[in-house]
Amino acid sequence: MKRREFFETIGLATVAVGVAGSIPGISCSSKRVTTEKGMNVKFEVKRLNLTHTWTISRNSSNYKDDVFVYLEKDGIIGIGEAAPNIRYNETPESTIEVIKKSIPLFEKCNPWEYVQLSYDIKSLTTAQTAAKAALDIALMDWIGKALNIPLYRLWGLDHTKLPLTSFSIGIDTPEVVKQKTREAAPYKILKVKVGKKNDKELIEAVRSVAPDKLIRVDANEGWKDKEIAIKEIEWLMKNGVEFIEQPMPSEMLEETRWLRDRVEVPIIADEAVKTASDIPKLAEAYDGINIKIMKAGGLQEALRMIWLAKSLNMKIMIGCMIESSVGVSAAAQLSSLIDYADLDGNLLISNDPYEGVKVIDGKLVLSDRPGIGVKEV
Ligand code: MG
């Protein structure tokens, strides 16, 4: 397909699934998958509307503008998504800048060299990992589609052993928190956002509706003082929480280590960890890490993080930002390797443009479609 035709048809594109693929050098049976170099890059911004106003300790929003990336070659289109996060100085504009910068790289790339390409994507610019994640997701989606296998197959993972996912309850008034807890009835685990002044009120509101449900707590760096943090955590422990995520600001490593030595629930790093290189220094202060594809800069870096965290005996969680089924289904491909899943970003929006991973009886269920396993709604 010529570049212009691709741009004209992308909106209506039918992805060529079911095409027999080939890896040059391994088998060459396909007529449609060529060894010619180059991929076409396209992107667009889609506004994802949130079912409820989303408030965490940092900010509040009613929608999220995510950037979707399409990599095309041989009539096969790999889809990726970037969920830019202001916490990491990312906006849709800064994301688009990186995607534009990647065009010369993809114009001359061989997608089958996808491991090397993951490092080339990483080298495009410093930071801006959401943009890099979109490119890597689209690349790996293309690989899976060209081979006609889901990515969990490519990586040799057991898709029948997937964890339950938690459903997130953002900070709100006790009445709205109660309502959100009622709406979350199908999910067996709740992740409650705390870190403002009304933590106890919120947990009590959740407990009034769901007295026995498993609760995880995410403070999003909200407690700035270790003495306050320990008091909050001691109270939360009495109210049955499974773990505490990012209790204090990421730079307060010493204070977090102090806290961890004094509490019995696991302390999980989120904002403190982005890529594999962050992990070794965190092993002394945290029991586990929350990997997000958007922070990692892609599925391939997330996989490297999983191996490293496992070698340090750390617990592994996979989480997400506010993302459509593209980002969430991509992350879910790795979920048989982890201890905790928090893959609910697509469940918090009302206009998901794609469908992919499902939550059935609280548990993640992957589709057997190739690549990241999504289709347009
Ligand atoms: Mg978090």
Side-chain angles (χ1 to χ4, degrees), residues 191 193 218 220 245 270 292:
K191 190 165 106 172
K193 297 284 190 179
D218 186 357
N220 287 106
E245 191 176 319
D270 181 2
K292 293 177 182 167

